[in-house]
Amino acid sequence: MEPADRDAFVAENLDRYAETQGVLPERLAEFGEAYRSQGHLTREQLYEIAYESSTRSAYHVEKNPESRCREVTRNARAVDGDFSTIHLITGLAGFKAPTASCVLAALDGDRHAVVDTRVWASLERLGYLEGRKESFDADDYVTMIEPIRDIAAETGHRAVDVGYALFAHDAHVREGTLH
């Protein structure tokens, strides 16, 4: 796919994103503002992010001590490397890689995106990845974020928006159920 085609792909699917049941970009932006101004996230804020991402498993976040939530999210800002950063956040109860990616995308949408099964499937359809996946770890996040950043660099869109577009694309073209 040529860069101009990728730009049209992202723009078209970003418009479709509002029709999906994905994480609300406005909510993620609010969490990011709080994260940057406070230097950390509280357990309540992490619960709200997890609820936006996966209502069924959000209750697990309450198992984390408040001090650990603040410590991990403060440290995640200081760690170098995508693998280390996402791995640190997945150490919190209730945060597998897709939900942890919400925290990273909230903090820095220029470099990070919300990822999940739909995003992987779209990247696979576009030829960036091989095979289907239904569960993700820190290594899978790194695998997905690299082509997302490449598309962002080629199109001038933020990584977070490329992720939203990939999600919307899968929601638009997938036939049958998600899993």
Side-chain angles (χ1 to χ4, degrees), residues 7-153:
D7 186 47
F9 171 89
V10 172
E12 178 181 331
N13 286 291
L14 263 177
D15 286 344
R16 285 192 180 116
Y17 187 77
E19 302 164 16
T20 72
Q21 294 184 2
V23 173
L24 294 173
E26 305 80 36
R27 291 287 287 148
L28 214 54
E30 290 170 17
F31 292 123
E33 287 176 32
Y35 195 175
R36 288 185 296 278
S37 68
Q38 294 168 180
H40 64 271
L41 290 169
T42 65
R43 181 175 56 209
E44 181 179 338
Q45 290 165 325
L46 286 169
Y47 175 86
E48 290 179 34
I49 290 171
Y51 191 83
E52 286 284 326
S53 174
S54 176
T55 54
R56 289 185 316 243
S57 60
Y59 73 95
H60 291 294
V61 176
E62 294 173 340
K63 297 174 185 173
N64 297 299
E66 176 67 33
S67 61
R68 185 174 303 149
C69 293
R70 291 172 187 248
E71 175 187 333
V72 167
T73 57
R74 185 173 35 254
N75 289 343
R77 294 185 65 179
V79 171
D80 286 331
D82 296 324
F83 179 85
S84 296
T85 304
I86 193 122
H87 190 66
L88 185 61
I89 295 169
T90 60
L92 292 169
F95 283 88
K96 292 184 178 171
T99 307
S101 74
C102 294
V103 174
L104 297 182
L107 178 62
D108 186 356
D110 291 338
R111 292 198 37 78
H112 296 284
V114 178
V115 300
D116 70 349
T117 304
R118 289 192 180 282
V119 173
W120 182 283
S122 286
L123 287 169
E124 190 260 340
R125 274 190 203 93
L126 294 172
Y128 288 97
L129 303 175
E130 290 186 20
R132 293 289 169 107
K133 289 197 68 107
E134 292 185 18
S135 63
F136 303 96
D137 60 18
D139 190 51
D140 296 318
Y141 178 79
V142 173
T143 299
M144 284 187 275
I145 200 62
E146 290 174 6
I148 289 170
R149 286 183 185 147
D150 289 345
I151 295 167

